[in-house]
Amino acid sequence: MQPVLIVEGLAKDFFLHEQRETIPSCSNVYLESREGKLTAIVGPTGAGKSSVLKCIYRTYLPSTGKIMFCDTAGQSMDLARADEHQMLRLRQREIGFVTQFLNCLPRKSALDVVAEPLVASGVHRTAARTSAGEMLARLAVPQRLWCVPPATFSGGEKQRVNLARGLISRPRLLLLDEPTASLDPGTTDLAVKLIETLKEDGVAMIAIFHQPDLVRRLADDVVELAPPVLVKDYNKECLS
Ligand SMILES: Nc1ncnc2c1ncn2[C@@H]1O[C@H](COP(=O)(O)OP(=O)(O)OP(=O)(O)O)[C@@H](O)[C@H]1O
Ligand SMILES: [Mg+2]
């Protein structure tokens, strides 16, 4: 079976204009993602794990490398070179992202935040809100919170809403950035069960976890990132 995604030699550097410094993030990343399989990215803080997912979703433009994505129609394209229009289309239909932190409009209810990806893919708002309610219930978000904007929610409640939003549209490729980091053990278990259901449904996933037990439980492949190489003594320079 052809992989859904092949990342080859991916690197991302940031040039900070004010400091006139180049900050290395991920470098020389190779990974594959297949239908119904979960590839885990592990490594210490600052190793560039989130940057890899952001390059795939094209929140960041990669510095070098290829990100070959095979869409539902069997067409292959390099996401490192795709234009904004192509990326918007893919984000609506094929690639989902559960980010480390929930970004949402202050006046939008939790139900609408979760329903949004379905509405964007053409599902009627009423049906999308019904599915959103089912997803929130599966992640144990109390019904009294469904009509409230998540801005004031606790960290764990926000993360449940974020997960529900990412999992609802069952994209072809799902990117998960520490999806269970602020959940209690019971809710982590619910989230793991949902991720297992998505695997059975054939969704390809790339996920970042800091908890080794979750990697053992869910990952089919593990890619380890090393911290970026220090090219000069920043410490000495910053302190002098
Ligand atoms: N937008 C940005 N501008 C400048 N530097 C950035 C930016 N995003 C990430 N970096 C830098 O890239 C490096 C990798 O960051 P990244 O967030 O990818 O790490 P991570 O492995 O996900 O870490 P963590 O486990 O703490 O989430 C860090 O040194 C960070 O400061
Ligand atoms: Mg991160």
Side-chain angles (χ1 to χ4, degrees), residues 14 16 25 44-51 60 100 178 210:
F14 296 94
L16 304 183
S25 180
T45 282
K49 303 179 298 297
S50 297
S51 299
Y60 292 161
Q100 216 164 349
E178 300 192 40
H210 275 295

